[in-house]
Amino acid sequence: MKKCIIIGGADIANYSKVKQFLSPNDFYIYCDSGLKHQPELGYEPDLIVGDFDSFTKPNVAVETIVLPCEKDDTDSVYAVKEAVKRGFDEFLLLGMVGNRLDHTLGNVSVLLFLEQQGKHGVILDDYSEMEVVVEKPVHIPDRYSYFSLLNISGTANGIIIKNAKYPLDQKTITCEYQYGISNEVLPGKTAEVSVADGKLLLIKIW
């Protein structure tokens, strides 16, 4: 099954890093001003979505969904929902972390939405990769400088971290006390993170 790449309008400085995660076989959805990234990314859109309040609607022979400016869903959220309807299971979100903290946090919550739908999503920015840890253990190679775990839904219990500078064994992280920041994978090891109850946001720092 193809991976769905959804490109938003936040700035991307390191295109060469991002392009390592892309393939010609992927399905590309550009959201409104996310189209500004197309020349550098080098992949034509399979679908364009947006209200075009921040970018001129292109006159191209590509399926385009024009949205109203006043709506509940952002262009990016609408694109994710549309891709779920089309049967995609793997999602990579680019151009989602930028100067607008409200948009950034809203886009991070998309990872929770995808997990709820039984899908897997990753957000890439110029510094990190983000994904949700729920039931299955997630592994972190030592090529990452740091990694952080943030509780993003109530209370997370039964947290285990192995092969890291700061291990945990059946611990709890609450939203009020986020002490799982800036951990390090032990040299030559692969860290493992799991949670028995709750959801964690894993941020792997390049």
Side-chain angles (χ1 to χ4, degrees):
M1 185 67 181
K2 291 181 179 180
K3 180 166 78 260
C4 184
I5 313 295
I6 299 180
I7 302 103
D11 289 343
I12 299 174
N14 194 345
Y15 287 104
S16 60
K17 184 74 174 182
V18 166
K19 288 171 70 172
Q20 297 177 34
F21 295 83
L22 307 181
S23 164
N25 296 322
D26 295 332
F27 187 89
Y28 290 86
I29 303 178
Y30 287 84
C31 302
D32 205 320
S33 60
L35 283 161
K36 69 186 180 184
H37 299 304
Q38 190 275 323
E40 291 288 347
L41 294 177
Y43 292 98
E44 295 294 330
D46 295 291
L47 174 65
I48 298 171
V49 172
D51 54 23
F52 302 103
D53 63 347
S54 57
F55 200 85
T56 302
K57 179 180 176 292
N59 184 20
V60 292
V62 174
E63 181 183 3
T64 301
I65 299 176
V66 180
L67 303 173
C69 291
E70 296 183 359
K71 56 190 183 301
D72 291 332
D73 292 342
T74 63
D75 297 338
S76 299
V77 169
Y78 185 96
V80 169
K81 290 182 176 180
E82 180 64 25
V84 168
K85 289 180 185 177
R86 298 187 184 208
F88 291 97
D89 294 316
E90 290 288 332
F91 290 79
L92 182 62
L93 310 179
L94 311 176
M96 301 288 173
V97 178
N99 295 329
R100 287 283 301 270
L101 180 60
D102 50 350
H103 278 279
T104 296
L105 293 177
N107 289 331
V108 169
S109 73
V110 168
L111 297 177
L112 291 171
F113 169 76
L114 288 172
E115 187 278 325
Q116 187 182 56
Q117 301 298 313
K119 315 296 184 181
H120 178 249
V122 173
I123 292 178
L124 295 186
D125 62 26
D126 288 319
Y127 308 100
S128 65
E129 303 168 37
M130 290 181 254
E131 63 183 299
V132 172
V133 181
V134 185
E135 296 175 349
K136 297 180 180 178
V138 174
H139 297 92
I140 309 161
D142 66 350
R143 67 175 179 269
Y144 296 95
S145 300
Y146 302 96
F147 70 92
S148 296
L149 286 173
L150 296 168
N151 179 9
I152 50 175
S153 64
T155 298
N157 297 305
I159 300 169
I160 297 174
I161 302 177
K162 299 178 181 178
N163 296 327
K165 184 176 181 179
Y166 306 108
L168 290 181
D169 185 17
Q170 299 295 330
K171 297 300 182 179
T172 296
I173 296 178
T174 66
C175 288
E176 293 78 19
Y177 183 36
Q178 305 278 8
Y179 63 87
I181 295 175
S182 290
N183 208 334
E184 300 176 38
V185 183
L186 293 178
K189 299 287 188 178
T190 297
E192 181 179 290
V193 173
S194 61
V195 58
D197 177 46
K199 300 178 182 181
L200 295 171
L201 178 67
L202 170 62
I203 305 178
K204 296 177 283 186
I205 309 300
W206 291 342

Coordinates of all heavy atoms in Angstrom, one line a residue, residues 50-142:
G50 N -7.3 22.8 -0.4 CA -7.1 24.0 0.3 C -8.2 25.1 0.1 O -9.1 24.9 -0.9
D51 N -8.3 26.1 0.9 CA -9.2 27.2 0.7 C -8.5 28.3 -0.1 O -9.1 29.3 -0.5 CB -9.8 27.7 2.0 CG -8.7 28.1 3.0 OD1 -7.5 28.4 2.6 OD2 -9.0 28.1 4.2
F52 N -7.2 28.2 -0.3 CA -6.4 29.1 -1.1 C -6.5 30.5 -0.6 O -6.6 31.5 -1.4 CB -6.7 29.0 -2.6 CG -6.5 27.5 -3.1 CD1 -7.6 26.7 -3.3 CD2 -5.2 27.1 -3.3 CE1 -7.4 25.4 -3.7 CE2 -5.0 25.7 -3.7 CZ -6.1 24.9 -3.9
D53 N -6.4 30.7 0.7 CA -6.4 32.0 1.3 C -4.9 32.4 1.5 O -4.6 33.6 1.8 CB -7.1 32.0 2.7 CG -6.5 31.1 3.7 OD1 -5.6 30.2 3.3 OD2 -6.8 31.2 4.9
S54 N -4.0 31.5 1.3 CA -2.5 31.9 1.5 C -1.7 31.5 0.3 O -0.5 31.6 0.3 CB -2.0 31.2 2.8 OG -2.2 29.8 2.7
F55 N -2.4 31.0 -0.8 CA -1.6 30.6 -2.0 C -2.6 30.6 -3.1 O -3.8 30.3 -3.0 CB -1.1 29.2 -1.8 CG 0.1 28.8 -2.8 CD1 1.4 29.2 -2.5 CD2 -0.2 28.2 -4.0 CE1 2.4 28.9 -3.3 CE2 0.8 27.9 -4.8 CZ 2.1 28.2 -4.5
T56 N -2.1 31.0 -4.3 CA -3.0 31.1 -5.5 C -3.3 29.7 -6.0 O -2.5 28.9 -6.1 CB -2.3 31.9 -6.6 OG1 -2.0 33.2 -6.1 CG2 -3.2 32.0 -7.8
K57 N -4.6 29.5 -6.2 CA -5.0 28.2 -6.7 C -4.4 27.9 -8.0 O -4.5 28.7 -9.0 CB -6.6 28.1 -6.8 CG -7.1 26.8 -7.4 CD -8.6 26.9 -7.5 CE -9.2 25.6 -8.1 NZ -8.9 25.5 -9.5
P58 N -3.7 26.8 -8.2 CA -3.0 26.5 -9.4 C -3.9 26.1 -10.5 O -4.9 25.4 -10.2 CB -2.0 25.4 -9.1 CG -2.6 24.7 -7.9 CD -3.4 25.8 -7.2
N59 N -3.6 26.4 -11.7 CA -4.4 26.0 -12.9 C -3.7 24.8 -13.5 O -3.0 24.9 -14.5 CB -4.5 27.1 -13.9 CG -5.4 26.7 -15.0 OD1 -6.2 25.8 -15.0 ND2 -5.3 27.5 -16.2
V60 N -3.9 23.6 -12.9 CA -3.2 22.4 -13.3 C -4.2 21.3 -13.4 O -5.3 21.3 -12.8 CB -2.1 22.0 -12.4 CG1 -0.9 23.0 -12.4 CG2 -2.6 21.8 -10.9
A61 N -3.9 20.3 -14.2 CA -4.8 19.1 -14.4 C -4.5 18.1 -13.3 O -4.1 16.9 -13.6 CB -4.5 18.5 -15.8
V62 N -4.8 18.5 -12.1 CA -4.7 17.6 -10.9 C -5.9 17.7 -10.1 O -6.5 18.8 -10.0 CB -3.4 18.1 -10.0 CG1 -3.4 17.3 -8.8 CG2 -2.1 17.9 -10.8
E63 N -6.4 16.6 -9.6 CA -7.6 16.6 -8.7 C -7.4 17.7 -7.6 O -6.4 17.6 -6.9 CB -7.9 15.3 -8.1 CG -9.1 15.2 -7.3 CD -9.4 13.9 -6.6 OE1 -8.6 13.0 -6.8 OE2 -10.4 13.8 -5.9
T64 N -8.3 18.6 -7.5 CA -8.3 19.7 -6.5 C -9.6 19.8 -5.8 O -10.6 19.8 -6.4 CB -7.9 21.0 -7.2 OG1 -6.7 20.9 -7.9 CG2 -7.8 22.1 -6.2
I65 N -9.5 19.8 -4.4 CA -10.6 20.0 -3.6 C -10.5 21.4 -3.0 O -9.6 21.7 -2.3 CB -10.7 19.0 -2.5 CG1 -10.8 17.6 -3.0 CG2 -11.9 19.3 -1.5 CD1 -10.8 16.5 -2.0
V66 N -11.5 22.3 -3.4 CA -11.5 23.7 -2.9 C -12.4 23.8 -1.7 O -13.6 23.4 -1.8 CB -11.9 24.6 -4.0 CG1 -12.0 26.1 -3.5 CG2 -11.0 24.5 -5.3
L67 N -11.9 24.2 -0.6 CA -12.6 24.3 0.6 C -13.0 25.7 0.9 O -12.4 26.7 0.5 CB -11.7 23.8 1.8 CG -11.1 22.4 1.6 CD1 -10.2 22.1 2.8 CD2 -12.3 21.4 1.6
P68 N -14.1 25.9 1.7 CA -14.4 27.3 2.2 C -13.4 27.8 3.2 O -12.8 27.0 3.9 CB -15.8 27.1 2.8 CG -15.8 25.6 3.2 CD -15.0 24.9 2.2
C69 N -13.3 29.1 3.2 CA -12.3 29.7 4.2 C -12.8 29.5 5.6 O -12.0 29.3 6.6 CB -12.1 31.2 3.9 SG -11.2 31.5 2.4
E70 N -14.1 29.6 5.9 CA -14.7 29.4 7.2 C -15.1 28.0 7.4 O -16.1 27.5 6.7 CB -15.8 30.4 7.4 CG -15.4 31.8 7.4 CD -16.5 32.8 7.7 OE1 -17.6 32.3 7.9 OE2 -16.2 34.0 7.7
K71 N -14.4 27.2 8.2 CA -14.7 25.8 8.4 C -14.1 25.3 9.7 O -13.3 26.0 10.3 CB -14.1 25.0 7.2 CG -12.6 25.2 7.0 CD -12.1 24.6 5.7 CE -10.6 24.7 5.5 NZ -10.2 26.1 5.5
D72 N -14.5 24.1 10.1 CA -13.9 23.6 11.4 C -12.6 23.0 11.2 O -11.7 23.2 12.0 CB -14.9 22.5 11.9 CG -16.2 23.1 12.5 OD1 -16.2 24.2 12.9 OD2 -17.2 22.3 12.4
D73 N -12.4 22.2 10.1 CA -11.1 21.6 9.8 C -10.1 22.5 9.1 O -10.5 23.3 8.2 CB -11.3 20.4 8.9 CG -12.0 19.3 9.5 OD1 -12.1 19.3 10.8 OD2 -12.6 18.4 8.8
T74 N -8.9 22.5 9.5 CA -7.8 23.2 8.7 C -7.7 22.4 7.4 O -8.1 21.3 7.3 CB -6.5 23.2 9.5 OG1 -6.0 21.9 9.7 CG2 -6.6 23.9 10.8
D75 N -7.0 23.0 6.5 CA -6.7 22.4 5.2 C -6.0 21.0 5.4 O -6.3 20.0 4.8 CB -5.9 23.2 4.3 CG -6.6 24.5 3.9 OD1 -7.8 24.6 4.0 OD2 -5.9 25.5 3.5
S76 N -5.0 21.0 6.4 CA -4.3 19.8 6.6 C -5.1 18.7 7.3 O -5.0 17.6 6.9 CB -3.1 20.1 7.6 OG -2.2 21.1 7.0
V77 N -6.0 19.1 8.2 CA -6.8 18.1 8.8 C -7.8 17.5 7.8 O -8.1 16.3 7.8 CB -7.6 18.7 10.0 CG1 -8.7 17.8 10.5 CG2 -6.6 19.1 11.2
Y78 N -8.4 18.4 7.0 CA -9.3 17.9 5.9 C -8.5 16.9 5.0 O -9.1 15.9 4.6 CB -9.8 19.0 5.1 CG -10.8 18.6 4.1 CD1 -12.2 18.7 4.3 CD2 -10.4 18.1 2.8 CE1 -13.1 18.2 3.4 CE2 -11.4 17.7 1.9 CZ -12.7 17.7 2.2 OH -13.6 17.3 1.3
A79 N -7.3 17.2 4.7 CA -6.5 16.3 3.8 C -6.3 15.0 4.4 O -6.4 13.9 3.8 CB -5.2 17.0 3.4
V80 N -6.0 15.0 5.7 CA -5.8 13.7 6.4 C -7.1 12.9 6.4 O -7.1 11.7 6.1 CB -5.3 14.0 7.9 CG1 -5.4 12.7 8.7 CG2 -3.9 14.5 7.9
K81 N -8.2 13.5 6.7 CA -9.5 12.8 6.7 C -9.8 12.2 5.3 O -10.3 11.1 5.2 CB -10.6 13.7 7.2 CG -10.5 14.0 8.7 CD -11.7 14.9 9.1 CE -11.7 15.2 10.6 NZ -12.8 16.1 11.1
E82 N -9.5 13.0 4.3 CA -9.8 12.6 3.0 C -8.9 11.4 2.6 O -9.4 10.4 2.0 CB -9.5 13.7 2.0 CG -9.7 13.4 0.5 CD -11.2 13.1 0.2 OE1 -12.1 13.5 0.9 OE2 -11.4 12.3 -0.8
A83 N -7.6 11.4 3.0 CA -6.7 10.3 2.8 C -7.2 9.0 3.5 O -7.0 7.9 3.0 CB -5.3 10.7 3.1
V84 N -7.7 9.2 4.7 CA -8.2 8.0 5.5 C -9.3 7.4 4.7 O -9.4 6.2 4.6 CB -8.6 8.5 6.9 CG1 -9.4 7.4 7.6 CG2 -7.4 8.8 7.8
K85 N -10.2 8.3 4.2 CA -11.4 7.8 3.4 C -10.9 6.9 2.2 O -11.5 6.0 1.8 CB -12.2 8.9 3.0 CG -13.1 9.6 4.0 CD -13.9 10.7 3.4 CE -14.6 11.5 4.4 NZ -15.3 12.7 3.8
R86 N -9.8 7.3 1.7 CA -9.2 6.7 0.5 C -8.4 5.4 0.8 O -7.9 4.8 -0.1 CB -8.4 7.7 -0.3 CG -9.2 8.9 -0.8 CD -8.5 9.8 -1.8 NE -9.3 10.9 -2.1 CZ -9.2 11.6 -3.3 NH1 -8.3 11.2 -4.2 NH2 -10.0 12.6 -3.5
G87 N -8.3 5.1 2.1 CA -7.8 3.8 2.4 C -6.3 3.8 2.8 O -5.7 2.7 3.0
F88 N -5.7 4.9 3.0 CA -4.3 4.9 3.3 C -4.1 4.5 4.8 O -4.9 4.9 5.6 CB -3.6 6.3 3.0 CG -3.5 6.6 1.6 CD1 -4.5 7.4 0.9 CD2 -2.5 6.1 0.8 CE1 -4.4 7.6 -0.4 CE2 -2.4 6.3 -0.5 CZ -3.3 7.1 -1.2
D89 N -3.0 3.8 5.1 CA -2.7 3.4 6.4 C -1.4 4.0 7.0 O -1.3 4.2 8.2 CB -2.5 1.8 6.5 CG -3.7 1.1 6.2 OD1 -4.8 1.5 6.7 OD2 -3.7 0.1 5.4
E90 N -0.5 4.4 6.1 CA 0.8 5.0 6.6 C 0.8 6.5 6.1 O 0.5 6.8 4.9 CB 2.0 4.3 6.0 CG 2.2 2.9 6.6 CD 2.7 3.0 8.1 OE1 3.4 4.0 8.4 OE2 2.4 2.1 8.8
F91 N 1.1 7.4 7.0 CA 1.1 8.8 6.8 C 2.4 9.5 7.2 O 2.9 9.2 8.2 CB -0.1 9.5 7.5 CG -1.4 9.1 7.0 CD1 -2.0 7.9 7.3 CD2 -2.1 10.0 6.2 CE1 -3.3 7.6 6.9 CE2 -3.4 9.7 5.7 CZ -4.0 8.5 6.1
L92 N 2.9 10.4 6.3 CA 4.0 11.2 6.6 C 3.6 12.6 6.4 O 3.2 13.0 5.3 CB 5.2 10.8 5.7 CG 6.5 11.6 6.0 CD1 7.0 11.3 7.4 CD2 7.5 11.2 4.9
L93 N 3.7 13.5 7.4 CA 3.2 14.8 7.4 C 4.4 15.8 7.4 O 5.3 15.8 8.3 CB 2.3 15.1 8.6 CG 1.2 14.1 8.9 CD1 0.4 14.5 10.1 CD2 0.3 14.0 7.7
L94 N 4.5 16.6 6.4 CA 5.6 17.6 6.3 C 5.0 19.0 6.3 O 3.8 19.3 6.0 CB 6.3 17.4 4.9 CG 6.7 16.0 4.6 CD1 7.3 16.0 3.2 CD2 7.7 15.5 5.6
G95 N 5.8 20.0 6.6 CA 5.4 21.4 6.7 C 4.3 21.6 7.7 O 3.4 22.4 7.4
M96 N 4.3 20.9 8.8 CA 3.3 21.0 9.8 C 3.7 21.7 11.1 O 2.9 22.0 12.0 CB 2.8 19.6 10.2 CG 2.2 18.8 9.0 SD 0.6 19.5 8.5 CE 0.3 18.5 7.0
V97 N 5.0 22.0 11.2 CA 5.6 22.6 12.5 C 6.2 23.9 12.1 O 7.2 24.0 11.3 CB 6.6 21.7 13.1 CG1 7.2 22.4 14.4 CG2 6.0 20.3 13.5
G98 N 5.6 25.0 12.6 CA 6.1 26.3 12.2 C 5.9 27.4 13.2 O 5.9 27.1 14.4
N99 N 5.8 28.6 12.8 CA 5.7 29.8 13.7 C 4.4 29.9 14.4 O 4.3 30.5 15.5 CB 6.0 31.1 12.9 CG 7.4 31.2 12.4 OD1 8.3 30.6 13.0 ND2 7.5 31.8 11.3
R100 N 3.3 29.3 13.9 CA 2.0 29.3 14.5 C 1.9 28.1 15.4 O 1.7 27.0 15.0 CB 0.9 29.2 13.4 CG 0.7 30.5 12.6 CD 0.0 31.6 13.4 NE -1.4 31.1 13.8 CZ -2.5 31.3 13.0 NH1 -2.4 31.8 11.8 NH2 -3.6 30.8 13.5
L101 N 2.0 28.4 16.7 CA 1.9 27.3 17.7 C 0.6 26.6 17.7 O 0.5 25.4 17.9 CB 2.2 27.9 19.1 CG 2.2 26.8 20.3 CD1 3.2 25.7 20.1 CD2 2.4 27.5 21.6
D102 N -0.5 27.4 17.5 CA -1.8 26.8 17.4 C -1.9 25.8 16.3 O -2.5 24.7 16.5 CB -2.9 27.9 17.3 CG -2.6 28.9 16.2 OD1 -1.5 28.9 15.6 OD2 -3.6 29.7 15.9
H103 N -1.4 26.1 15.1 CA -1.4 25.2 14.0 C -0.6 24.0 14.3 O -0.9 22.8 14.0 CB -1.0 25.9 12.7 CG -2.1 26.6 12.1 ND1 -3.0 26.0 11.3 CD2 -2.4 27.9 12.1 CE1 -3.9 27.0 10.8 NE2 -3.5 28.1 11.3
T104 N 0.6 24.2 14.9 CA 1.5 23.1 15.2 C 0.9 22.1 16.2 O 0.9 20.9 15.9 CB 2.8 23.7 15.9 OG1 3.5 24.5 14.9 CG2 3.7 22.6 16.3
L105 N 0.3 22.6 17.3 CA -0.4 21.7 18.2 C -1.6 21.0 17.6 O -1.8 19.8 17.9 CB -0.8 22.5 19.5 CG 0.3 23.1 20.3 CD1 -0.3 23.9 21.5 CD2 1.2 22.0 20.9
G106 N -2.3 21.7 16.8 CA -3.4 21.1 16.0 C -2.9 20.0 15.2 O -3.6 18.9 15.1
N107 N -1.8 20.2 14.5 CA -1.3 19.2 13.6 C -0.7 18.0 14.4 O -0.8 16.8 14.0 CB -0.2 19.7 12.7 CG -0.7 20.7 11.7 OD1 -1.9 20.5 11.2 ND2 0.1 21.7 11.3
V108 N -0.2 18.2 15.6 CA 0.3 17.1 16.4 C -0.9 16.2 16.8 O -0.8 15.0 16.9 CB 1.0 17.7 17.7 CG1 1.3 16.5 18.7 CG2 2.4 18.3 17.3
S109 N -2.0 16.9 17.1 CA -3.2 16.1 17.5 C -3.7 15.2 16.3 O -4.4 14.2 16.6 CB -4.4 17.0 17.9 OG -4.9 17.7 16.8
V110 N -3.3 15.5 15.1 CA -3.7 14.7 14.0 C -3.1 13.3 14.2 O -3.7 12.3 13.8 CB -3.2 15.3 12.7 CG1 -3.2 14.3 11.5 CG2 -4.0 16.5 12.3
L111 N -1.9 13.2 14.8 CA -1.3 11.9 15.1 C -2.2 11.0 16.0 O -2.3 9.8 15.8 CB 0.1 12.1 15.7 CG 1.1 12.8 14.9 CD1 2.4 12.9 15.7 CD2 1.4 12.0 13.6
L112 N -2.9 11.7 16.9 CA -3.8 11.0 17.8 C -5.0 10.5 17.0 O -5.5 9.4 17.2 CB -4.3 11.9 19.0 CG -3.2 12.2 20.0 CD1 -3.7 13.3 21.0 CD2 -2.8 11.0 20.8
F113 N -5.5 11.4 16.1 CA -6.7 11.0 15.2 C -6.3 9.8 14.4 O -7.1 8.9 14.3 CB -7.0 12.2 14.4 CG -8.0 11.8 13.3 CD1 -9.3 11.6 13.5 CD2 -7.5 11.7 12.0 CE1 -10.2 11.3 12.5 CE2 -8.4 11.3 10.9 CZ -9.8 11.1 11.2
L114 N -5.1 9.8 13.8 CA -4.7 8.7 13.0 C -4.6 7.4 13.8 O -5.1 6.3 13.3 CB -3.4 9.0 12.3 CG -3.5 10.0 11.2 CD1 -2.1 10.4 10.7 CD2 -4.3 9.5 10.0
E115 N -4.0 7.5 15.0 CA -4.0 6.3 15.8 C -5.3 5.8 16.2 O -5.6 4.6 16.2 CB -3.2 6.7 17.1 CG -2.8 5.5 18.0 CD -4.0 5.1 18.9 OE1 -4.7 6.1 19.3 OE2 -4.2 3.9 19.2
Q116 N -6.3 6.7 16.4 CA -7.6 6.3 16.8 C -8.3 5.5 15.6 O -9.1 4.7 15.8 CB -8.4 7.5 17.1 CG -9.8 7.2 17.6 CD -10.6 8.5 17.9 OE1 -10.8 9.4 17.1 NE2 -11.1 8.6 19.2
Q117 N -7.9 5.9 14.4 CA -8.4 5.3 13.2 C -7.7 4.0 12.8 O -7.9 3.4 11.8 CB -8.3 6.2 12.0 CG -9.1 7.5 12.2 CD -10.6 7.3 12.4 OE1 -11.2 6.6 11.6 NE2 -11.2 8.0 13.4
G118 N -6.7 3.6 13.6 CA -5.9 2.4 13.3 C -4.8 2.6 12.3 O -4.3 1.7 11.7
K119 N -4.4 3.9 12.1 CA -3.4 4.3 11.1 C -2.1 4.7 11.9 O -2.1 4.9 13.1 CB -3.9 5.4 10.3 CG -5.3 5.3 9.7 CD -5.5 4.1 8.8 CE -6.9 4.1 8.2 NZ -7.1 2.9 7.3
H120 N -1.1 4.8 11.1 CA 0.2 5.3 11.7 C 0.7 6.5 11.0 O 0.7 6.6 9.8 CB 1.3 4.2 11.6 CG 2.6 4.6 12.1 ND1 3.7 4.8 11.3 CD2 3.0 4.8 13.4 CE1 4.7 5.2 12.1 NE2 4.3 5.2 13.3
G121 N 1.0 7.5 11.8 CA 1.4 8.8 11.3 C 2.7 9.3 11.9 O 3.0 9.0 13.1
V122 N 3.5 10.0 11.1 CA 4.8 10.6 11.6 C 4.8 12.0 11.0 O 4.5 12.3 9.9 CB 6.0 9.8 11.0 CG1 7.3 10.6 11.4 CG2 6.0 8.4 11.6
I123 N 5.2 13.0 11.9 CA 5.4 14.3 11.5 C 6.9 14.6 11.5 O 7.7 14.3 12.4 CB 4.8 15.3 12.5 CG1 3.3 15.2 12.4 CG2 5.2 16.8 12.2 CD1 2.6 16.2 13.4
L124 N 7.4 15.1 10.3 CA 8.8 15.5 10.2 C 8.9 17.0 10.2 O 8.1 17.7 9.5 CB 9.4 15.0 8.9 CG 9.5 13.5 8.6 CD1 10.3 13.2 7.3 CD2 10.2 12.8 9.8
D125 N 9.9 17.5 10.9 CA 10.2 18.9 10.7 C 11.7 19.0 10.5 O 12.4 18.0 10.3 CB 9.7 19.8 11.9 CG 10.4 19.4 13.3 OD1 11.5 18.8 13.3 OD2 9.7 19.7 14.3
D126 N 12.3 20.2 10.6 CA 13.7 20.4 10.3 C 14.6 19.8 11.4 O 15.8 19.7 11.2 CB 14.1 21.8 10.2 CG 13.5 22.4 8.9 OD1 13.6 21.7 7.8 OD2 13.0 23.5 8.9
Y127 N 14.0 19.4 12.6 CA 14.8 19.0 13.7 C 14.5 17.6 14.2 O 15.2 17.0 15.0 CB 14.7 20.0 14.8 CG 15.0 21.4 14.4 CD1 14.0 22.3 14.2 CD2 16.3 21.8 14.3 CE1 14.3 23.6 13.8 CE2 16.6 23.1 13.9 CZ 15.6 24.0 13.6 OH 15.8 25.3 13.2
S128 N 13.3 17.1 13.9 CA 12.8 15.9 14.6 C 11.8 15.1 13.8 O 11.3 15.5 12.8 CB 12.2 16.3 15.9 OG 11.0 17.1 15.7
E129 N 11.5 13.9 14.4 CA 10.4 13.1 13.9 C 9.5 12.8 15.1 O 9.9 12.6 16.2 CB 10.9 11.7 13.4 CG 11.9 11.8 12.3 CD 12.6 10.4 12.1 OE1 11.9 9.4 12.2 OE2 13.8 10.4 11.8
M130 N 8.2 12.9 14.9 CA 7.2 12.7 15.9 C 6.2 11.6 15.6 O 5.8 11.5 14.5 CB 6.4 14.0 16.2 CG 7.2 15.1 16.8 SD 6.1 16.6 17.0 CE 6.7 17.6 15.7
E131 N 5.9 10.8 16.6 CA 4.9 9.8 16.4 C 4.3 9.4 17.8 O 4.8 9.8 18.8 CB 5.5 8.5 15.8 CG 6.6 7.8 16.6 CD 7.1 6.6 15.8 OE1 6.4 5.7 15.5 OE2 8.4 6.6 15.6
V132 N 3.2 8.7 17.7 CA 2.5 8.4 19.0 C 2.9 6.9 19.4 O 2.9 6.0 18.5 CB 1.0 8.5 18.8 CG1 0.2 7.9 20.0 CG2 0.6 9.9 18.6
V133 N 3.1 6.8 20.7 CA 3.4 5.5 21.2 C 2.1 5.1 22.0 O 1.7 5.8 22.9 CB 4.6 5.4 22.2 CG1 4.8 4.0 22.7 CG2 5.8 5.9 21.4
V134 N 1.6 3.9 21.7 CA 0.4 3.5 22.4 C 0.6 2.1 23.0 O 0.8 2.0 24.2 CB -0.9 3.4 21.4 CG1 -2.1 3.1 22.2 CG2 -1.0 4.8 20.8
E135 N 0.5 1.0 22.2 CA 0.6 -0.3 22.8 C 1.9 -1.0 22.4 O 2.6 -1.6 23.2 CB -0.6 -1.1 22.4 CG -2.0 -0.6 22.9 CD -3.1 -1.4 22.3 OE1 -2.9 -2.2 21.4 OE2 -4.2 -1.2 22.9
K136 N 2.2 -1.0 21.1 CA 3.4 -1.7 20.6 C 4.6 -0.9 21.0 O 4.7 0.3 20.9 CB 3.3 -1.8 19.1 CG 2.1 -2.7 18.6 CD 2.2 -2.8 17.1 CE 1.0 -3.7 16.6 NZ 1.0 -3.8 15.1
P137 N 5.7 -1.6 21.4 CA 7.0 -0.9 21.7 C 7.5 -0.2 20.4 O 7.3 -0.7 19.3 CB 7.9 -2.0 22.1 CG 7.0 -3.1 22.5 CD 5.8 -3.0 21.7
V138 N 8.1 0.9 20.6 CA 8.8 1.7 19.5 C 10.3 1.7 19.8 O 10.7 1.9 20.9 CB 8.2 3.1 19.4 CG1 9.0 3.9 18.4 CG2 6.8 3.1 19.1
H139 N 11.1 1.5 18.7 CA 12.5 1.4 18.9 C 13.2 2.6 18.3 O 12.8 3.2 17.3 CB 13.0 0.1 18.2 CG 12.5 -1.1 18.8 ND1 11.3 -1.8 18.3 CD2 12.9 -1.9 19.8 CE1 11.1 -2.8 19.0 NE2 12.0 -2.9 19.9
I140 N 14.3 3.1 19.0 CA 15.0 4.3 18.6 C 16.4 4.0 18.5 O 17.1 3.7 19.5 CB 14.8 5.4 19.7 CG1 13.3 5.5 20.1 CG2 15.4 6.7 19.3 CD1 13.0 6.2 21.4
P141 N 17.0 4.0 17.3 CA 18.4 3.8 17.1 C 19.3 4.9 17.7 O 18.8 6.0 17.9 CB 18.5 3.8 15.5 CG 17.2 3.6 15.0 CD 16.2 4.2 16.0
D142 N 20.5 4.6 17.8 CA 21.4 5.6 18.5 C 21.9 6.7 17.5 O 22.7 7.5 17.9 CB 22.6 4.9 19.1 CG 23.6 4.3 18.1 OD1 23.2 4.2 16.9 OD2 24.7 3.9 18.5

